[in-house]
């Protein structure tokens, strides 16, 4: 499978689908995802799996800690694609 970056909008849609109780279209690149009510260990695992499947990138705990917003997480994934 050839991995590459998907558009930001698709990344947000994937994130919304991966995390429970998130209304479609309710998040943006400025969203502080760690402040979401449903952000928990299951959400971390689901997002990690989604990113690995869609982008070929394995996220670590530090990657979530270092990213303040969905935009920051997206940009971090961008730097890791194809490594």
């Amino acid at each position: 499978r050839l991995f590459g970056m998907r558009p930001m909008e698709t990344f947000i849609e994937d994130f919304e689908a991966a995390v429970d109780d998130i209304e479609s279209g309710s998040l943006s690149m400025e969203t502080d995802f760690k402040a979401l009510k449903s952000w928990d260990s299951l959400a971390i695992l689901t997002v990690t799996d989604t990113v690995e499947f869609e982008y070929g990138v394995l996220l670590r705990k530090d990657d979530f800690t270092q990213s303040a917003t969905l935009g920051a997480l997206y940009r971090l994934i961008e730097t890791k694609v194809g490594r």
Side-chain angles (χ1 to χ4, degrees):
R1 178 175 180 163
L2 192 58
F3 295 104
M5 279 313 288
R6 299 170 61 165
M8 282 190 230
E9 295 80 16
T10 305
F11 172 74
I12 291 175
E13 290 169 5
D14 291 343
F15 190 95
E16 289 172 341
V19 180
D20 287 340
D21 298 326
I22 300 294
E23 186 176 326
S24 179
S26 66
L27 303 181
S28 72
M29 294 308 271
E30 291 78 38
T31 299
D32 176 359
F33 62 92
K34 292 174 285 192
L36 296 170
K37 189 176 182 178
S38 53
W39 186 250
D40 58 15
S41 57
L42 179 59
I44 292 169
L45 288 173
T46 307
V47 169
T48 300
D49 286 349
T50 300
V51 168
E52 185 175 11
F53 180 77
E54 297 295 343
Y55 301 93
V57 171
L58 183 58
L59 293 175
R60 299 174 326 215
K61 182 180 177 185
D62 288 352
D63 295 330
F64 291 110
T65 305
Q66 294 172 9
S67 302
T69 64
L70 282 178
L73 184 61
Y74 179 84
R75 287 186 293 281
L76 185 134
I77 293 166
E78 257 183 333
T79 67
K80 294 181 173 214
V81 167
R83 280 198 206 166

